[in-house]
């Protein structure tokens, strides 16, 4: 798939997609899926496809992947992507071979399908008004692949929407005397393999406690206006370190799996997220000098920790039937 994405980058055609903020879903993969399905349904109606739409929709859904951005040329002459984040942070990209799937199922040439899709896209995008508030992505058609680039503004909207769900969540970060400690969790569980994930969950709760004492939180919740502090002065996300970027990517993966893959390998997912979080905690300070000089950055990092704690807790309790300790 990477070779398909890499080839003929000079032929990229860009389409700007916007979406009203209230329509933003928790799972970014589901957002991409909904958009692709809407395009295919229109294609099916306009060009009278022979294959049943339900069959193709299922196929399309199974082919949406989060790709390795290093395989994509951002500097090709026809790209105009204008990626503004630091050079070491590549964009997060979903891809789907929509045109290839249609061409194969209908036994048509890829060029004919591409031409038909571009007609539909032009009509669809001309109907989008300027009232849309969230820039979702750029859609690039290349050799039959649709590539969705997740831009900083859209990621900030997504993080804020996800954080609002966390703020409505189930855990009081102040464990107090009744908090479940690592020692108590060990007595309740025989799964020592998941101890690193339980440890990181408890550590996230401790960090949230510190955030409350440092008055970065109110009533055990981050401020609902956190969207305003996801950005730095250059209007890029505060997540400029590689460890922050990797954690953000892992959170996207976990959220997608929770939305659509109930039978995922949750032990592996929990351990992977906990390892990425451990690196983040070691590399990215929240309190002390960072809080004093860059309070917005401190709140943004605390927001990432709150989201990690939310998902790790749900994976441990709901998917693995294990305790989620709140104290070290």
């Amino acid at each position: 798939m990477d070779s398909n994405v890499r080839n003929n980058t000079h032929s990229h055609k860009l389409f700007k997609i916007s979406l009203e903020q209230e329509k933003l879903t928790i799972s970014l993969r589901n957002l991409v899926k909904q958009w692709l399905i809407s395009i295919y349904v229109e294609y099916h109606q306009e060009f009278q496809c022979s294959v049943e739409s339900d069959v193709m929709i299922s196929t399309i859904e199974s082919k949406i992947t989060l790709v390795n951005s290093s395989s994509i040329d951002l500097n090709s002459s026809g790209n105009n992507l204008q990626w503004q984040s630091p050079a070491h942070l590549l964009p997060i990209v979903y891809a789907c071979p929509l045109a290839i799937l249609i061409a194969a199922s209908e036994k048509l040439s890829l060029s004919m399908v591409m031409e038909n899709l571009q007609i539909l896209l032009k009509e669809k995008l001309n109907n989008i008004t300027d009232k849309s508030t969230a820039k979702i992505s750029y859609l690039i058609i290349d050799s039959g692949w649709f590539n969705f680039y997740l831009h900083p503004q859209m990621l900030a909207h997504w993080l804020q929407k996800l954080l609002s769900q966390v703020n409505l969540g189930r855990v009081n970060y102040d464990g107090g005397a009744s908090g479940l400690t690592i020692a108590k969790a060990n007595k309740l569980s025989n799964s020592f393999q998941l101890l690193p994930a339980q440890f990181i969950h408890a550590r996230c709760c401790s960090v949230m406690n510190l955030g409350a004492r440092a008055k970065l939180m109110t009533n055990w919740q981050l401020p609902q206006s956190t969207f305003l502090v996801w950005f730095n002065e250059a209007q890029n996300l505060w997540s400029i370190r590689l460890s922050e970027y990797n954690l953000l990517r892992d959170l996207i993966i976990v959220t997608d799996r929770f939305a659509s893959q109930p039978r995922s390998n949750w032990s592996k997912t929990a351990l992977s997220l906990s390892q990425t979080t451990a690196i983040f905690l070691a590399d990215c300070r929240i309190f002390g000098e960072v809080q004093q000089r860059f309070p917005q950055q401190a709140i943004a990092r605390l927001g990432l920790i709150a989201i990690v704690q939310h998902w790790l807790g749900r994976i441990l309790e709901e998917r693995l039937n294990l305790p989620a300790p709140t104290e070290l």
Side-chain angles (χ1 to χ4, degrees), residues 224-254:
Q224 291 294 328
S225 60
T226 308
F227 176 76
L228 301 176
V229 299
W230 288 116
F231 290 110
N232 58 23
E233 293 179 355
Q235 291 301 297
N236 286 322
L237 290 175
W238 274 111
S239 304
I240 59 175
R241 289 178 178 263
L242 184 59
S243 57
E244 293 174 290
Y245 171 88
N246 288 337
L247 181 57
L248 176 60
R249 184 182 174 89
D250 264 19
L251 288 172
I252 290 173
I253 292 172
V254 170

Side-chain angles (χ1 to χ4, degrees), residues 68 101 117 133 170 212 219 295:
N68 182 357
L101 295 175
L117 281 171
T133 58
R170 53 189 181 76
N219 296 326

